[in-house]
Amino acid sequence: MSSTSHGHAKEGSRSPEYTVWVNMIQRCTNPRHTSYPSYGARGIKVVERWRSEFALFLADMGPRPGPSYSIDRIDPDGNYEPTNCRWSTRK
């Protein structure tokens, strides 16, 4: 089956970047998400540019450098936005 329009979700699988994007939005906007109390309930938001389109998130963040990398907010009290996010490892 063909890719979806953003090219990062094929039948039965999602790219790591797409999964990060979905989870980031969910933990900031969905009160039923298990991580919502630590994110959305604290006022952490995802910039509209990223909420509106996965391709814009990917354009700003670029591909994940490797499997041990996750999205990291430089200021842990700040929002998910290009100037406050990077890919990093737990180290």
Side-chain angles (χ1 to χ4, degrees), residues 1-87:
M1 184 171 242
S2 65
S3 300
T4 58
S5 62
H6 51 68
H8 276 262
K10 296 182 181 179
E11 184 178 359
S13 68
R14 294 177 171 177
S15 72
E17 295 86 358
Y18 186 81
T19 300
V20 165
W21 178 72
V22 168
N23 287 330
M24 171 185 67
I25 292 170
Q26 286 297 303
R27 65 181 165 255
C28 292
T29 64
N30 182 357
R32 293 182 181 174
H33 191 280
T34 57
S35 295
Y36 182 81
S38 298
Y39 293 86
R42 285 185 44 225
I44 306 297
K45 295 181 177 14
V46 179
V47 69
E48 175 59 32
R49 172 180 168 82
W50 286 2
R51 274 196 333 265
S52 68
E53 191 175 335
F54 169 71
L56 297 174
F57 167 77
L58 188 60
D60 290 340
M61 288 296 295
R64 190 171 75 151
S68 63
Y69 286 78
S70 61
I71 193 165
D72 176 47
R73 284 175 295 122
I74 297 162
D75 173 2
D77 294 319
N79 293 325
Y80 285 99
E81 55 190 33
T83 58
N84 193 42
C85 290
R86 62 187 172 198
W87 294 113

